[in-house]
Amino acid sequence: MQIIRDTSAINPEPSVATIGFFDGVHAGHRYLIQQVKEIAAAKGLRSALVTFPVHPRKVMNTNYRPELLTTPEEKISLLADIGVDYCLMLDFTPEVSRLTAREFMTQLLKERYQVKYLVIGYDHRFGHNRSEGFEDYVRYGKEIGIEVIRAKAYTSNIEIENVPNVPVSSSLIRKLLHQGEVDLAADCLKYEYFLDGIVVGGYQVGRKIGFPTANLSVDDPDKLIPADGVYAVWVTFDKKTYMGMLNIGVRPTIDNGPNRTIEVNILHFHSDIYDKFIRLTFVKRTRPELKFSSIDELIVQLHKDAEETEAILLASKAGSNSRETK
């Protein structure tokens, strides 16, 4: 995938394109992008995505926290794996925000990016105030020389709260993560949710009670942190992956105050990893964060948590290996 930020330096070839922020690069995004690739192959053109390095709402309001499912770098990496030809990075500026849909299509899609066919998601709108819809885009396209195609709607096989075939969206995935439903979020994303960051010093309480933890400082402050609780996670650093028992929260049993921490106990591992870059990959939430009546009661529960965590991760690994061999 070729990332184009400046069309004065690199001129993209004519393409079939779609537009979106693509936060999370989830199952619905992947279905849309696959349609773009198929149409491009049939037309003998390049496939392209027009996206934004910074969330448009954050550009307009610097106090807005988008709670990203993927950082800009993570999003680009996931998009590259899908195999499109161009990722056209458009800086969303106040000037861009004021463009009407017709002006956006003419000045940016047609003249800057050489888009010949525009594939529109079933509910996607763009342009100033997003007041126009698909029929308007079709009309503008005919006037300026872009054929506008409505994408097929994505139908999931995901059931949430007894509702089958739930439409997948970034907002749905955020809701699931806020509820700690990381396994359901993975079904929507088509990969397991993850956090990247650096291991920093902590209070070292875990070390004193037999469960030393690595404290994660997340790389991007806009990245969404799942709900407080205990999770079974994979911990990856130095090109190796380990089983981990993760706690997100304020550690009420030891009266940690309001300070929310992300601490992982790496099972069967006893070395210091301060300042290392690590990735936490979420598999399942095992319980909410609880306040225990004593440290001894907490220790008993942590032993149970560790056993449950290991069982979950071993089962997950076995299931993954089974799927890969089919």
Side-chain angles (χ1 to χ4, degrees), residues 17-153:
T18 191
I19 312 167
F21 188 62
F22 302 111
D23 187 27
V25 193
H26 56 62
H29 294 146
R30 291 163 186 263
Y31 186 70
L32 170 63
I33 294 167
Q34 184 59 37
Q35 292 176 66
V36 170
K37 291 174 61 179
E38 290 172 357
I39 295 169
K43 303 293 184 182
L45 298 171
R46 298 288 191 179
S47 58
L49 307 175
V50 180
T51 191
F52 312 98
V54 178
H55 196 288
R57 282 185 63 184
K58 189 167 185 178
V59 173
M60 305 308 293
N61 177 7
T62 55
N63 294 322
Y64 174 68
R65 283 203 63 220
E67 291 197 300
L68 298 174
L69 302 174
T70 43
T71 67
E73 295 77 13
E74 292 163 358
K75 180 170 71 175
I76 288 171
S77 177
L78 289 165
L79 291 173
D81 289 341
I82 296 175
V84 291
D85 293 316
Y86 295 136
C87 181
L88 305 170
M89 302 295 286
L90 173 62
D91 287 326
F92 191 87
T93 63
E95 291 74 23
V96 169
S97 75
R98 289 192 287 270
L99 294 176
T100 65
R102 192 184 194 286
E103 291 169 339
F104 185 93
M105 292 175 66
T106 303
Q107 298 175 27
L108 298 177
L109 301 185
K110 172 75 174 178
E111 297 174 1
R112 182 185 298 185
Y113 293 137
Q114 307 299 313
V115 173
K116 298 296 184 183
Y117 296 84
L118 177 63
V119 183
I120 298 292
Y122 76 97
D123 62 348
H124 187 75
R125 289 174 180 263
F126 59 88
H128 183 63
N129 292 333
R130 298 188 176 188
S131 57
E132 296 145 304
F134 180 77
E135 299 304 326
D136 298 304
Y137 306 150
V138 171
R139 185 172 72 254
Y140 302 149
K142 287 179 179 178
E143 293 170 0
I144 65 177
I146 295 177
E147 183 173 335
V148 179
I149 301 170
R150 189 191 294 275
K152 299 175 185 175

